[in-house]
Amino acid sequence: MDSEDFQLAEEYFAFAIELAKKVGPMIRDAFYSEKEILTKSCTTDLVTETDQNVEKTILEAIKNSYPKHDFIGEESVAGGLKCNLTDAPTWIVDPIDGTTNFVHRFPYVAVCIGFVWKKERLFGVVYNPILNEMFTAFKGKGANLNDKKLKVSKEQDLGKSMIMTECGSSRDPKHLDKIFKNMQSVISAPVHAIHSLGSAACNICMVAQGGAEAYYEFGIHCWDYCAAGIIVEEAGGVVIDTQGGELDLMRRRIIAANNMSVAKSLSNVIVEQMELPRD
């Protein structure tokens, strides 16, 4: 990508930060209010009117300012739009990552805005308006939490690591069996602990700020980890496939870790590799 494209991307990055700030109050106000709760794929896959309104606000702002850009959003895809990643400038958005947390007023929720151009992830914005935490990163320029530079943990030993993961929304017994087998294998590696924040983006950002060494999960979507993935990389970490290879953004599985040593060690103790329909 040439310097002119990077300059344009920096403009889009500033726009994304302001956009996250704009929708933050919508999420924060609704967080403390009564909500109408709907479901999507199953009774534990929740969506609220706020998810839909926030995505609509973001989509309209992007289309008004950059009408030739592509858009992949969680609620738009749930509504029937195709999830198609091309070489075009593409915004990948989760209006509220951690909707179940949002419903229960557990304060780990975030609007996630990632940007991909020519299939290269260029920047990410993850904003938790409840805790007033703005995570940002632009390729090659480092990552920040508000005005503070982020740096991952220096730990090299999986056995001394804190691992983040989730059970996900699926309650299919076969799926859960694989999830729990993996958790049992990871905790028995051993590691110090397995924790869950209920949000893929918040889990990954916890790795980026050094509060955990790694995160892994199967079954999530590109909008869950596109933005956060570049934040952990720019904080000095890595993102890879759960089998140890290069991350495929549309494959719905990820390891995000503080370094490649921990990432590879974690991939080696994941006993149930899961192939899911691609985004």
Side-chain angles (χ1 to χ4, degrees):
M1 187 166 290
D2 60 31
S3 58
E4 184 177 345
D5 287 342
F6 267 102
Q7 288 180 345
L8 284 172
E10 288 178 331
E11 172 194 317
Y12 307 150
F13 181 44
F15 178 81
I17 292 171
E18 292 306 309
L19 196 48
K21 291 177 181 178
K22 178 180 179 179
V23 300
M26 295 171 61
I27 299 170
R28 186 170 55 247
D29 291 348
F31 182 82
Y32 295 104
S33 304
E34 293 298 319
K35 306 167 185 68
E36 181 182 358
I37 304 165
L38 306 172
T39 60
K40 292 188 284 188
S41 63
C42 62
T43 58
T44 52
D45 187 8
L46 307 182
V47 63
T48 69
E49 186 178 16
T50 307
D51 293 79
Q52 297 166 339
N53 288 341
V54 168
E55 182 163 316
K56 181 180 178 182
T57 299
I58 292 172
L59 175 58
E60 288 178 349
I62 291 170
K63 290 302 182 185
N64 286 339
S65 296
Y66 308 109
K68 294 183 179 180
H69 288 192
D70 287 348
F71 182 87
I72 297 173
E74 178 177 12
E75 304 313 325
S76 300
V77 173
L81 291 182
K82 290 185 178 180
C83 187
N84 186 28
L85 183 62
T86 69
D87 284 340
T90 303
W91 300 77
I92 300 181
V93 172
D94 191 341
I96 301 180
D97 189 48
T99 298
T100 301
N101 288 351
F102 177 72
V103 166
H104 289 275
R105 298 184 187 176
F106 186 69
Y108 288 94
V109 301
V111 53
C112 306
I113 305 174
F115 185 80
V116 180
W117 195 353
K118 298 176 183 176
K119 297 187 175 69
E120 182 178 5
R121 293 174 294 114
L122 293 182
F123 65 74
V125 176
V126 174
Y127 179 40
N128 181 340
I130 314 306
L131 300 180
N132 193 30
E133 293 181 336
M134 176 74 77
F135 296 88
T136 59
F138 189 93
K139 187 169 184 177
K141 296 194 173 183
N144 290 276
L145 168 53
N146 297 335
D147 295 323
K148 180 182 177 182
K149 282 287 183 184
L150 289 175
K151 193 66 181 173
V152 295
S153 160
K154 295 180 180 180
E155 183 57 59
Q156 296 282 329
D157 186 351
L158 180 66
K160 297 177 181 178
S161 296
M162 173 89 78
I163 307 301
M164 314 297 292
T165 193
E166 300 289 338
C167 291
S169 60
S170 173
R171 296 298 180 263
D172 177 81
K174 292 181 180 179
H175 182 89
L176 288 175
D177 183 56
K178 292 179 179 180
I179 293 291
F180 293 136
K181 282 182 178 178
N182 282 334
M183 291 180 72
Q184 183 177 23
S185 180
V186 171
I187 199 69
S188 301
V191 298
H192 273 179
I194 293 178
H195 282 190
S196 300
L197 293 177
S199 156
C202 292
N203 284 329
I204 295 172
C205 287
M206 186 59 70
V207 176
Q209 63 186 302
E213 278 64 49
Y215 157 80
Y216 75 94
E217 191 171 354
F218 296 86
I220 54 175
H221 296 274
C222 59
W223 47 80
D224 294 309
Y225 56 90
C226 178
I230 193 168
I231 291 169
V232 78
E233 288 177 309
E234 288 299 314
V238 298
V239 292
I240 63 172
D241 181 73
T242 55
Q243 286 185 303
E246 184 178 350
L247 178 73
D248 180 341
L249 188 61
M250 313 307 280
R251 201 174 180 184
R252 300 181 59 201
R253 59 192 212 180
I254 186 176
I255 291 175
N258 62 327
N259 56 58
M260 192 59 76
S261 175
V262 170
K264 292 284 191 178
S265 296
L266 180 57
S267 72
N268 288 336
V269 298
I270 293 174
V271 293
E272 293 283 351
Q273 294 292 334
M274 299 169 64
E275 289 289 349
L276 298 125
R278 293 176 62 82
D279 276 334

